[in-house]
Amino acid sequence: MSYSRSKAVVAALIMVGVAMPASAAMTVGTFLNRANALRDQGPMALMSPDLPALKAEAKAATNQLKAERAARAAAGKPPIACVPEGESVGIMDMLDGLNELPASYQKRPLKDGYARVLANLYPCR
């Protein structure tokens, strides 16, 4: 497996997630620092104890966004982002989008960063 392909595999694993973390929500800045450090490790990242924690944080943020979307719809509020049916954002695009957010997002919860990236990629018209 090539080194760049290994990075993509590690990045994909970060987003898959298994369980919700017991701790408070991770910030965008903390998530990016840890995710980028894992990407730099290449295949060795698969053995890192950080990998399960990042997967759990990513899954928790995704679940929170899904719940928030449902609550907004139930309340008759417009969605934050309008992702076309059948579309999804790849892990590399999500990480790139998080890296491109303004510095003010570094201290926000990961869920908020994900929401901003989705809104940037799929604005509602």
Side-chain angles (χ1 to χ4, degrees):
M1 186 181 299
S2 73
Y3 181 69
S4 62
R5 189 172 197 164
S6 296
K7 280 183 165 181
V9 169
V10 170
L13 289 173
I14 290 171
M15 292 302 291
V16 174
V18 179
M20 300 273 283
S23 63
M26 185 178 286
T27 65
V28 170
T30 301
F31 183 83
L32 282 175
N33 288 336
R34 291 170 68 181
N36 289 333
L38 274 183
R39 284 181 11 181
D40 292 344
Q41 291 180 21
M44 295 302 293
L46 294 172
M47 293 182 275
S48 171
D50 235 8
L51 185 61
L54 290 179
K55 289 176 8 179
E57 289 292 338
K59 182 67 173 176
T62 300
N63 288 341
Q64 291 167 359
L65 281 178
K66 287 178 182 179
E68 187 173 310
R69 180 180 180 161
R72 290 179 69 83
K77 294 180 180 178
I80 293 169
C82 293
V83 181
E85 188 68 33
E87 288 283 324
S88 64
V89 178
I91 179 58
M92 299 310 284
D93 291 332
M94 183 59 73
L95 289 174
D96 289 344
L98 288 171
N99 277 310
E100 292 170 3
L101 290 175
S104 62
Y105 271 83
Q106 295 297 306
K107 293 186 179 183
R108 292 189 183 189
L110 183 59
K111 173 195 69 86
D112 293 351
Y114 276 14
R116 184 76 258 150
V117 170
L118 289 173
N120 289 343
L121 292 171
Y122 300 105
C124 296
R125 308 214 186 265

